[in-house]
């Protein structure tokens, strides 16, 4: 039995690990999943056994958090969406205030503490032994607000320390607390020194305050946490936007009366009414009416689907034309949209949280530092040093070992890296993407809007002898102008491109599922599928083979007739983006397997895959199956990057090791992905991987510099050199080490600005991805072939097909001039061109370079 709980108090990945660890100890509980985005806990317990609730409450509470059973009756509505958004905004607002307050007090404190080292101007009452108490106590007062606004670090750090699972919060809490306690102790010693008029005591403890180290540790780490929270907030909005797709109200027929009710009140068996322009509130089957329904929000496919009586309809899809009445079959959490929302939540929760690099270091670094500090105090006590001196050495180890730059190491590199990526149209969202990009072996591409343009376009115009292309477009466009079908829009766009003026029509009639008819200039013009042509007795026998060839090529051909005589065929398809072929070739050169997912049938999918050289195809994939395909590939041992643009891609984007969203796609796909391709160009995929590698490498370097000076100073802080050379750690050295590490981190991050200076030019070698791409269109050549023997459209299609089968050839045949214009992107000889045309049954008279 699956049980869900709301958990409060979680703020980071460490919290997630603590809750999971605590609940996993409860006997009988399986598959524990904690989702930081939704602050939920999901477990599996024995069916019907509700006694586990209290055990789980106790386990979560023992981990330092609180839990309560999730209200299953509560619908995911606008209220929930606003609650999620409000919670994130409130948390960000509170943390931004803490950041501002921390730096308001930290900056003057650092200025005061270090001013005398650099001869910065300071009031006279801070100088001299007689003013030592002013100097020390003012620093203490400035540090108090910083400690108050960062109290969470102490509660979290000491809690994990007590549970023997110390994190960076533990080191931050220990180091800053030790510095603060010792600073207070130093103030008392300064007071004693002034009382007994001991200049030595006053001078020594005036230099041993450590307040500035304590507050800068807290302030800089807080800044890094704030940047991480912003990233979390953007990710969380994906769920709220998914929820917002569901309409708030529904119109149902009850007792022969149409009632507008809350969408959550629709029950199975209700008759739901949907007018043009409205979203469908639940899943069901049509019982009355016909219309085109835009399911792109769920299926990702660009063409609306014709719905007749008996057809299935999905929630969140849009009714575009006619009035529909359908019976509700799946409502509430059973709808397709609700299942997609659940998949996004589960995929996010089931992915093992990747510890931040700083946390990985702290897992080893923190216990070692604590141990060194304790050993230092014990050794000096055993050697006969006073308690005061031994504690000073121990505290110095903690202070020098707590690098303030560690809090900046990751966010500074990410900010610079993503800023540089934006110049190339790439947005890298989080550290998980940076880490996972290195090991990607398989790239999964959604077809519609990713490989293809995402909207239908006219691809072929075939006319009957005696009918010109413009005449066919004029007649077809005139009757299609009265239609709202997306295929009609594609034809009308072509008409507009050709600057053809259309006429008004009379007696327009749309035959659902078949086609259109209307009178244009007194002629009865008809257009539609094969069944429609048979119904109106139009002879299409000579064009069936041509029609089939177009369909096999992934296109949708439409017959057109005038006064029951065939006048031509117009084929419409969602065409491949010009950049897709080259981008997929680049991926292959990087050793990546390329997989395509689509809701299209196998025939159309194979046609597209052949054009762009896809390695593996998954066709007829339903909205909730894309995530399953990604999971299957991962189970095969592959590291998967998913590239998509639709709402239906969101679960797969979250499930993948790296999710990449096309920038012109839906907001939800973008919010669910960790890398955004802003220019909707697949060529950005390998570039994004290269940038991710460079940024992650920079982060590792930053972490090294963040620790280097501090680790180097540990022996000095522990007093290793004191017996031999009299060297002791001074505040100047501690401050300098921290400052230098911060400077190195920022400077090193800025080096990312040199990434790929020539990357935007595909002629340049990109070292990071180790491939060379030729500029699309370079070395292209056009030739004109004069061919004898062509007499009809069948001949035209046969010659075009023969030539286009050659790799790197794009051919277009003109029957009027008996010629073929051939565009070559590869080096193909004239003899080879002549050979394929001859084998097709035609004679090549001459081949000339175009323009010669």
């Amino acid at each position: 039995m699956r049980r869900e709980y709301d958990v409060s108090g979680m703020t980071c990945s460490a919290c997630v690990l603590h809750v999971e660890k605590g609940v996993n100890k409860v006997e009988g509980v399986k598959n524990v999943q904690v989702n930081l985005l939704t602050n939920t806990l999901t477990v599996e317990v024995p069916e019907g056994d509700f006694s586990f609730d209290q055990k789980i409450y106790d386990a979560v509470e023992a981990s330092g958090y609180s839990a309560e059973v999730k209200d299953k009756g509560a619908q995911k509505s606008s209220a929930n969406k606003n609650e999620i958004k409000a919670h994130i905004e409130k948390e960000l607002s509170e943390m931004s205030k803490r950041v501002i307050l921390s730096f308001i007090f930290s900056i003057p404190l650092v200025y005061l503490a270090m001013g005398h080292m650099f001869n910065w101007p300071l009031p006279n009452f801070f100088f001299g032994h007689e003013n030592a108490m002013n100097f020390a106590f003012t620093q203490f007062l400035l540090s108090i607000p910083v400690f108050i606004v960062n109290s969470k670090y102490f509660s979290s750090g000491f809690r994990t320390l007590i549970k023997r699972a110390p994190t960076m919060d533990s080191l931050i809490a220990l180091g800053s607390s030790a510095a603060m306690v010792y600073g207070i102790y130093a103030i008392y010693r300064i007071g004693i020194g002034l009382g007994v008029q001991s200049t030595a005591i006053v001078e020594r403890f005036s230099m041993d305050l450590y307040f500035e180290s304590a507050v800068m540790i807290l302030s800089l780490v807080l800044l890094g946490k704030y940047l991480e929270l912003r990233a979390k907030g953007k990710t969380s909005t994906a769920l709220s936007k998914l929820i917002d797709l569901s309409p708030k109200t529904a119109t149902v027929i009850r007792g022969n009366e149409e009632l507008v009710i809350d969408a959550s009140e629709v029950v199975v068996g209700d008759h739901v009414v949907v007018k043009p322009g409205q979203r469908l509130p639940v899943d069901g089957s049509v019982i009355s009416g016909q219309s085109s329904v835009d399911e792109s929000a769920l299926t990702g496919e660009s063409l609306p689907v014709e719905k007749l009586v008996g057809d299935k309809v999905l929630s969140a899809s849009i009714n575009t034309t006619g009035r529909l009445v359908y019976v509700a079959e799946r409502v509430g959490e059973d709808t397709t949209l609700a299942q997609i929302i659940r998949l996004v939540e589960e995929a996010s929760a089931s992915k093992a949280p990747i510890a931040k690099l700083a946390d990985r270091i702290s897992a080893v670094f923190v216990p070692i530092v604590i141990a060194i500090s304790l050993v230092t105090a014990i050794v000096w006590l055993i050697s006969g040093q006073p308690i005061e001196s031994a504690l000073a050495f121990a505290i110095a180890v903690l202070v020098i070992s707590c690098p303030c730059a560690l809090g900046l190491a990751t966010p500074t590199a990410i900010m610079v890296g993503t800023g540089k990526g934006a110049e190339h149209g790439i947005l890298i969202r989080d550290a998980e993407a940076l880490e996972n990009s290195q090991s990607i072996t398989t790239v999964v591409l959604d077809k519609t809007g990713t490989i293809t343009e995402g909207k239908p376009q006219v691809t072929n115009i075939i006319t009957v002898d005696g009918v010109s292309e413009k005449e066919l477009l004029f007649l077809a466009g005139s009757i299609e102008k009265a239609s709202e079908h997306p295929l009609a829009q594609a034809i009308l766009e072509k008409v507009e491109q050709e600057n053809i003026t259309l006429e008004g029509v009379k007696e327009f009639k749309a035959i659902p599922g078949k086609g259109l008819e209307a009178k244009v200039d007194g002629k009865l013009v008809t257009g539609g599928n094969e069944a429609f042509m048979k119904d109106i007795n139009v002879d299409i026998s000579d064009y069936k083979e041509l029609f089939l060839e177009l369909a096999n090529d992934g296109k949708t051909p439409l017959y057109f007739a005038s006064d029951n005589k065939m006048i031509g065929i117009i084929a419409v398809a969602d065409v491949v983006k010009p950049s897709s072929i080259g981008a997929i070739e680049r991926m292959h050169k990087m050793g990546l397997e390329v997989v395509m997912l689509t809701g299209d049938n196998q025939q159309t999918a194979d046609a597209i895959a052949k054009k762009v050289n896809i390695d593996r195809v998954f066709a007829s994939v339903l909205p909730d199956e894309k995530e399953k395909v990604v999971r299957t590939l991962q189970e095969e041992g592959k590291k998967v990057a998913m590239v998509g643009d639709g709402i239906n891609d969101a679960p797969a984007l979250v499930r993948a090791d790296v999710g990449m969203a096309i920038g012109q796609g839906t907001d939800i796909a973008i919010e669910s992905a960790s890398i955004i391709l802003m220019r909707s160009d697949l060529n950005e995929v390998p570039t994004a991987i290269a940038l991710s590698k460079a940024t992650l490498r920079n982060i590792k370097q930053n972490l090294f510099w963040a620790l280097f000076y501090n680790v180097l100073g540990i022996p000095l802080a522990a007093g290793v050199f004191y017996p031999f050379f009299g060297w002791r750690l001074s505040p100047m050295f501690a401050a300098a080490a921290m400052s230098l590490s911060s400077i190195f981190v920022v400077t090193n991050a800025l080096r990312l600005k040199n990434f790929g200076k020539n990357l935007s030019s595909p002629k340049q070698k990109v070292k990071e991805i180790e491939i060379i791409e030729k500029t699309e269109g370079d070395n292209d050549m056009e030739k004109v072939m004069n061919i004898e023997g062509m007499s009809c459209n069948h001949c035209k299609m046969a010659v075009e097909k023969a030539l286009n089968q050659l790799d790197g050839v794009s051919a277009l045949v003109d029957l009027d001039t008996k010629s073929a214009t051939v565009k070559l992107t590869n080096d193909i000889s004239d003899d080879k061109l002549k050979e394929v045309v001859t084998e097709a049954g035609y004679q090549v008279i001459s081949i000339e370079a175009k323009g010669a």
Side-chain angles (χ1 to χ4, degrees):
M1 179 175 67
R2 178 189 173 92
R3 297 286 283 166
E4 283 189 82
Y5 304 85
D6 289 317
V7 181
S8 58
M10 296 192 301
T11 59
C12 65
S13 57
C15 301
V16 172
L17 294 174
H18 288 313
V19 173
E20 285 183 346
K21 186 177 179 180
V23 177
N24 271 316
K25 292 179 180 178
V26 178
E27 189 176 350
V29 171
K30 298 179 181 178
N31 297 329
V32 178
Q33 295 180 347
V34 179
N35 192 331
L36 183 61
L37 300 181
T38 56
N39 289 317
T40 56
L41 163 67
T42 305
V43 299
E44 286 186 14
V45 298
E47 190 69 32
D49 190 346
F50 295 96
S51 64
F52 278 88
D53 287 348
Q54 189 58 50
K55 296 177 183 178
I56 290 173
Y57 294 159
D58 294 340
V60 173
E61 190 172 338
S63 302
Y65 310 92
S66 59
E68 61 180 10
V69 174
K70 193 176 185 66
D71 183 5
K72 284 292 184 180
Q75 295 293 320
K76 290 180 170 68
S77 64
S78 178
N80 298 87
K81 181 201 76 167
N82 293 332
E83 186 178 336
I84 294 172
K85 184 179 178 181
H87 175 72
I88 295 296
E89 288 180 351
K90 180 181 178 182
E91 201 172 351
L92 275 172
S93 176
E94 288 178 354
M95 187 169 281
S96 65
K97 291 175 183 176
R98 288 168 56 201
V99 170
I100 293 170
L101 282 171
S102 289
F103 279 97
I104 284 176
F105 290 97
S106 296
I107 292 172
L109 173 53
V110 171
Y111 184 91
L112 175 61
M114 301 179 66
H116 63 284
M117 302 179 193
F118 303 100
N119 293 321
W120 293 339
L122 285 168
N124 290 330
F125 59 81
F126 287 128
F127 287 105
H129 298 147
E130 66 279 6
N131 292 318
M133 188 60 74
N134 296 343
F135 179 73
F137 197 69
T138 302
Q139 292 183 48
F140 170 67
L141 292 176
L142 287 170
S143 65
I144 291 175
V146 179
F147 270 71
I148 292 173
V149 299
N150 289 285
S151 59
K152 285 186 178 181
Y153 289 120
F154 300 99
S155 59
S156 171
F158 287 120
R159 183 177 65 243
T160 55
L161 186 62
I162 291 170
K163 295 180 180 298
R164 292 179 295 179
T167 63
M168 275 310 299
D169 284 358
S170 302
L171 190 56
I172 292 166
L174 279 173
S176 54
S177 296
M180 186 68 163
V181 170
Y182 187 80
I184 294 171
Y185 171 75
I187 290 176
Y188 279 98
R189 292 307 305 268
I190 291 171
I192 294 171
L194 289 173
V196 299
Q197 297 184 351
S198 173
T199 303
I201 294 177
V202 172
E203 184 175 351
R204 176 188 169 188
F205 285 98
S206 293
M207 300 296 291
D208 284 348
L209 292 171
Y210 298 123
F211 289 124
E212 80 285 354
S213 300
V215 298
M216 287 309 295
I217 289 168
L218 295 170
S219 298
L220 290 172
V221 172
L222 177 63
L223 177 62
K225 293 286 186 182
Y226 172 73
L227 296 174
E228 290 179 8
L229 180 62
R230 287 183 62 186
K232 175 192 170 184
K234 290 179 181 178
T235 306
S236 300
T237 57
L239 289 175
S240 62
K241 288 185 179 180
L242 275 171
I243 294 168
D244 200 35
L245 279 177
S246 181
K248 309 302 178 292
T249 61
T251 303
V252 297
I253 300 175
R254 292 178 180 173
N256 297 322
E257 184 180 358
E258 288 190 9
L259 302 174
V260 178
I261 62 174
D262 192 288
S264 63
E265 297 176 4
V266 178
V267 296
V268 174
D270 270 340
H271 289 186
V272 183
V273 180
V274 187
K275 299 175 183 177
Q278 292 183 336
R279 286 189 183 273
L280 281 65
V282 295
D283 296 1
S285 297
V286 177
I287 57 174
S288 173
Q290 62 268 331
S291 178
S292 292
V293 175
D294 181 1
E295 297 179 342
S296 60
L298 297 172
T299 66
E301 302 308 320
S302 56
L303 299 178
V305 181
E306 201 77 26
K307 298 294 182 181
L308 303 174
V309 173
D311 290 338
K312 299 288 185 181
V313 289
L314 304 176
S315 60
S317 52
I318 302 172
N319 182 22
T320 61
T321 53
R323 181 178 185 268
L324 285 178
V325 179
Y326 70 99
V327 60
E329 295 175 342
R330 295 197 297 176
V331 302
E333 294 189 348
D334 294 327
T335 65
T336 302
L337 177 63
Q339 289 177 357
I340 290 178
I341 292 172
R342 179 173 53 81
L343 283 171
V344 172
E345 292 176 337
E346 288 182 354
S348 176
S350 62
K351 183 183 294 182
I354 298 177
K356 304 300 181 184
L357 291 175
D359 290 335
R360 290 181 180 179
I361 293 170
S362 68
V364 177
F365 187 68
V366 174
I368 291 176
V369 168
I370 294 173
I372 292 174
S373 179
L374 290 173
V375 170
T376 298
I378 293 170
V379 168
W380 281 113
L381 286 172
I382 293 174
S383 67
Q385 285 287 328
I387 294 178
E388 174 189 294
S389 182
L391 288 176
F393 280 117
I395 291 172
V397 170
L398 289 175
V399 172
I400 193 64
S401 302
C402 189
C404 56
L406 197 59
L408 290 173
T410 299
T412 49
I414 290 176
M415 283 195 302
V416 178
T418 52
K420 190 64 181 177
E423 295 179 16
H424 299 286
I426 299 165
L427 174 62
I428 301 173
R429 174 156 287 159
D430 55 41
E432 287 186 15
L434 294 172
E435 186 163 347
N436 292 340
S437 299
Q438 298 181 106
S439 54
I440 293 301
T441 59
T442 302
V443 178
V444 178
L445 305 174
D446 175 53
K447 179 185 77 70
T448 305
T450 303
I451 297 175
T452 64
E453 293 288 358
K455 65 176 184 177
Q457 298 178 18
V458 172
T459 57
N460 300 81
I461 302 175
I462 299 97
T463 61
V464 173
D465 291 339
V467 179
S468 67
E469 287 189 3
K470 284 198 172 185
E471 184 179 356
L472 174 58
L473 284 172
F474 166 75
L475 293 173
S478 294
I479 63 169
E480 296 287 3
K481 188 176 181 180
S483 171
E484 297 176 351
H485 199 281
L487 295 181
Q489 299 305 311
I491 294 174
L492 292 174
E493 284 184 12
K494 183 66 175 176
V495 167
E496 185 177 346
Q497 292 172 8
E498 298 293 331
N499 295 319
I500 298 173
T501 303
L502 301 178
E503 292 287 337
V505 299
K506 298 179 179 179
E507 300 178 23
F508 173 82
K509 186 186 297 183
I511 296 84
K514 293 186 176 181
L516 309 169
E517 68 177 27
K519 285 192 175 181
V520 182
D521 288 342
K523 300 176 182 178
L524 179 63
V525 180
T526 52
N529 56 26
E530 182 177 352
F532 186 38
M533 293 297 114
K534 287 182 179 179
D535 288 347
I536 58 177
N537 298 318
V538 174
D539 185 10
I540 56 172
S541 56
D542 292 339
Y543 298 91
K544 281 189 177 182
E545 184 179 343
L546 177 59
F547 190 93
L548 185 60
E549 286 181 6
L550 291 169
N552 288 337
D553 200 27
K555 300 171 182 176
T556 302
L558 300 172
Y559 288 107
F560 287 92
S562 177
D563 289 335
N564 287 7
K565 291 184 179 179
M566 185 72 175
I567 58 174
I569 297 174
I570 297 178
V572 177
D574 184 8
V575 299
V576 172
K577 290 181 180 178
S579 61
S580 293
I581 296 175
I584 292 170
E585 184 180 352
R586 291 180 65 188
M587 294 179 210
H588 283 146
K589 288 181 179 179
M590 294 176 69
L592 299 171
E593 177 190 24
V594 184
V595 176
M596 184 177 79
L597 296 183
T598 178
D600 286 344
N601 58 55
Q602 192 70 48
Q603 180 181 348
T604 301
D606 288 340
I608 296 293
K610 185 178 179 181
K611 288 180 181 178
V612 297
N613 195 22
I614 292 288
D615 298 314
R616 194 171 173 185
V617 176
F618 290 88
S620 302
V621 179
L622 296 175
D624 57 351
E625 290 179 344
K626 291 189 176 184
E627 180 268 346
K628 183 179 178 181
V629 171
V630 171
R631 188 169 67 247
T632 300
L633 292 170
Q634 289 174 325
E635 289 171 354
E636 293 174 5
K638 296 172 181 176
K639 293 292 185 179
V640 180
M642 171 69 192
V643 186
D645 71 327
I647 292 170
N648 63 307
D649 298 322
L653 288 168
V654 176
R655 170 67 66 184
D657 297 283
V658 177
M660 298 187 182
I662 293 295
Q664 292 180 359
T666 65
D667 288 344
I668 291 160
I670 291 173
E671 295 292 348
S672 299
S674 49
I675 294 180
I676 314 301
L677 311 179
M678 303 300 291
R679 295 174 185 164
S680 299
D681 186 345
L682 281 183
N683 278 297
E684 293 173 355
V685 173
T687 305
I689 293 174
L691 181 58
S692 297
K693 289 181 178 180
T695 307
L696 185 62
R697 184 167 58 248
N698 190 274
I699 289 174
K700 290 178 179 179
Q701 293 168 351
N702 283 351
L703 292 171
F704 170 77
W705 290 116
L707 293 165
F708 177 73
Y709 287 103
N710 308 86
V711 172
L712 197 65
I714 287 178
L716 180 61
V720 172
F721 305 108
Y722 183 69
F724 309 104
F725 308 105
W727 294 350
R728 294 189 62 164
L729 176 68
S730 69
M732 182 181 295
F733 183 86
M738 291 186 183
S739 298
L740 282 172
S741 60
S742 297
I743 291 170
F744 268 91
V745 163
V746 175
T747 304
N748 189 55
L750 291 174
R751 288 176 56 248
L752 278 172
K753 291 190 175 182
N754 295 321
F755 171 83
K757 285 186 176 179
N758 300 315
L759 192 60
S760 58
S761 172
K763 293 182 181 179
Q764 301 295 329
K765 182 176 181 180
V766 183
K767 292 183 180 179
E768 289 83 355
I769 52 180
E770 298 178 349
I771 65 169
I772 298 177
E773 178 191 13
K774 293 183 178 178
T775 304
E776 219 172 292
D778 283 1
N779 302 320
D780 285 0
M781 177 179 290
E782 287 193 8
K783 296 183 178 182
V784 177
M785 302 177 65
N786 295 308
I787 304 170
E788 284 291 339
M790 298 187 299
S791 59
C792 67
N793 277 303
H794 290 293
C795 301
K796 173 182 175 180
M797 292 294 291
V799 173
E800 284 184 350
K801 183 177 180 181
L803 289 169
N804 286 325
Q805 284 180 340
L806 293 174
D807 186 29
V809 172
S810 176
L812 186 63
V813 173
D814 188 337
L815 281 177
D816 294 335
T817 60
K818 307 295 183 186
S819 65
T821 301
V822 181
K823 185 176 181 180
L824 306 174
T825 57
N826 290 340
D827 187 14
I828 298 176
S829 66
D830 290 352
D831 290 340
K832 184 62 177 178
L833 294 173
K834 184 176 181 180
E835 179 185 338
V836 297
V837 174
T838 302
E839 288 180 355
Y842 305 92
Q843 182 180 2
V844 178
I845 304 301
S846 64
I847 302 178
E848 302 172 353
K850 191 170 183 180

